[in-house]
Amino acid sequence: MTHPLQLTPDGRLRHLLTVEGLSRPLLTDILDQAERYAGQPSSNRGSSGSRGLKVPLLHGKTVVNLFFEASTRTRMTFELAAKRLSADVLNLQIAASSTSKGETLLDTLKTMEAMQVDMFVIRHEASGAAHFFAQHAAPEVAILNAGDGRHAHPTQALLDMFTIRRHRPDFENLTVAIVGDILHSRVARSDIHALRILGAKEIRVVGPRTLIPAGIEAMGVTVHNDIDSGLADADVVILLRLQKERMVGAFLPSTGEFHRDFGLTKARLETLKPDVLVMHPGPINRGVEIEGDVAYGERSLILEQVEHGIAVRMAVMGMILGDEGAAA
Ligand code: NCD
């Protein structure tokens, strides 16, 4: 079951809060819509891109980016996506806003609604912040979750699926390994839901015991505390950053030790399938979960993920605000 707030009674996207429970047709429809914006895949890596593309779909609509946590690629690609759809885009500078004077989230929402905003893109350190907004938003206002605490990061999962699908559309044959700090990662959770919806053959989470949540097998994954068994025969490796800002206390002896035991080095990459796809939502910590040479090496899709973020976010915004939503 998807979140009851998320869909209209006729099954169209109303908000995007989580990928959990989205139907396969609806998820696939989002990826298909994104194809329209992403440009042609080039012969090898990447695409010819959507550079310069501008469509009038959201002309006259106003989108506000509310980022209570740091972000580079997510915030900027949301902004680019909205601009390419011809929306007016505002970015609230949180540190310079009234939230720093003690205004509550709800008061911020109501204040902006009075400015006739059509869509809020929200990132917040509290799990559930986007749901809270969706519960209290006026009927004509849409909420997009750009990451809430450890809970969900739906557009990241969608752009990850889009990127995988461009190279390997055969999800039912794919073994995907998600490596690193699973415990604190909203990306891991959203990717797992999306991969299950698309029918991935096997999903593994790989990392030290301290960074894998107890009971995660219930999400339909297998747990590996050893990198070599975790990566053996993997078709896709998704690396995650150690989310130090969410760690209370010591989860690891040292980052050096983590790199030795779980980092994707060139030497380790050479032991994997020759056509393995290496992904990372960013920001990367070079020399910790990934070696710099691997991050920008020929197996890496990291920059493609960034680029695809624009097309996928355009697709979601267009489906919600642009009268293009298809019923699932
Ligand atoms: C991730 C996030 O913020 O959840 N990054 C992103 O959105 N591209 C992962 C992270 O911060 O490590």
Side-chain angles (χ1 to χ4, degrees):
M1 248 295 275
T2 190
H3 196 281
L5 284 174
Q6 183 156 263
L7 300 182
T8 62
D10 61 347
R12 292 152 55 115
L13 261 191
R14 150 110 179 77
H15 305 288
L16 181 63
L17 308 176
T18 173
V19 285
E20 184 177 2
L22 287 183
S23 68
R24 192 187 291 196
L26 182 53
L27 199 158
T28 304
D29 191 26
I30 298 171
L31 305 186
D32 292 345
Q33 302 262 1
E35 281 292 348
R36 295 170 39 198
Y37 300 121
Q40 294 305 308
S42 67
S43 52
N44 186 7
R45 283 265 176 279
S47 68
S48 59
S50 53
R51 196 182 298 273
L53 176 82
K54 190 117 179 168
V55 292
L57 196 61
L58 299 193
H59 183 77
K61 305 279 187 189
T62 304
V63 176
V64 170
N65 278 322
L66 279 176
F67 278 61
F68 292 86
E69 270 188 356
S71 173
T72 304
R73 64 219 89 218
T74 304
R75 197 193 64 69
M76 295 186 79
T77 53
F78 262 116
E79 181 171 354
L80 265 175
K83 286 182 168 162
R84 288 191 182 166
L85 293 171
S86 308
D88 293 320
V89 188
L90 301 174
N91 292 294
L92 184 69
Q93 304 300 325
I94 303 293
S97 76
S98 291
T99 54
S100 64
K101 299 183 184 168
E103 185 173 84
T104 66
L105 263 189
L106 193 56
D107 294 326
T108 306
L109 171 71
K110 292 296 159 198
T111 303
M112 304 250 214
E113 276 181 357
M115 300 176 204
Q116 278 149 34
V117 169
D118 299 288
M119 177 178 273
F120 290 96
V121 178
I122 177 167
R123 167 173 287 195
H124 199 281
E125 62 277 7
S127 297
H131 291 74
F132 176 83
F133 256 46
Q135 257 155 12
H136 292 96
E140 64 283 1
V141 172
I143 307 298
L144 294 192
N145 185 2
D148 63 324
R150 304 179 185 188
H151 173 241
H153 193 350
T155 56
Q156 180 69 45
L158 291 168
L159 76 89
D160 288 346
M161 298 309 114
F162 183 89
T163 304
I164 294 173
R165 193 177 79 159
R166 277 216 154 171
H167 294 270
R168 297 290 306 269
D170 51 335
F171 279 88
E172 60 289 348
N173 293 320
L174 293 187
T175 296
V176 181
I178 306 176
V179 186
D181 182 359
I182 312 294
L183 182 65
H184 299 100
S185 176
R186 52 199 177 203
V187 176
R189 256 169 280 278
S190 289
D191 276 348
I192 292 168
H193 285 304
L195 286 163
R196 294 231 33 210
I197 292 165
L198 294 174
K201 183 175 83 180
E202 188 182 344
I203 309 166
R204 301 175 185 162
V205 294
V206 185
R209 275 174 228 287
T210 48
L211 292 179
I212 300 209
I216 193 164
E217 292 88 347
M219 291 184 79
V221 301
T222 53
V223 173
H224 292 257
N225 300 120
D226 170 72
I227 183 97
D228 295 317
S229 77
L231 298 190
D233 299 321
D235 300 290
V236 182
V237 177
I238 300 175
L239 301 161
L240 299 171
R241 180 177 68 92
L242 295 175
Q243 306 226 341
K244 292 206 179 114
E245 72 278 18
R246 296 189 210 287
M247 294 186 191
V248 181
F251 282 82
L252 290 168
S254 72
T255 50
E257 196 159 308
F258 179 82
H259 181 66
R260 190 195 66 206
D261 293 344
F262 292 98
L264 190 60
T265 57
K266 237 177 145 189
R268 203 163 256 155
L269 181 63
E270 275 161 18
T271 67
L272 306 186
K273 275 192 167 177
D275 60 351
V276 67
L277 304 175
V278 175
M279 299 173 63
H280 192 311
I284 63 168
N285 283 160
R286 283 164 176 261
V288 184
E289 72 275 5
I290 191 165
E291 231 170 50
D293 281 355
V294 176
Y296 297 109
E298 64 147 15
R299 303 308 324 145
S300 169
L301 302 180
I302 294 175
L303 296 178
E304 235 180 86
Q305 288 172 270
V306 176
E307 182 183 338
H308 292 158
I310 304 169
V312 166
R313 291 175 172 124
M314 286 174 80
V316 171
M317 289 175 159
M319 287 170 75
I320 293 179
L321 281 189
D323 300 323
E324 288 215 337

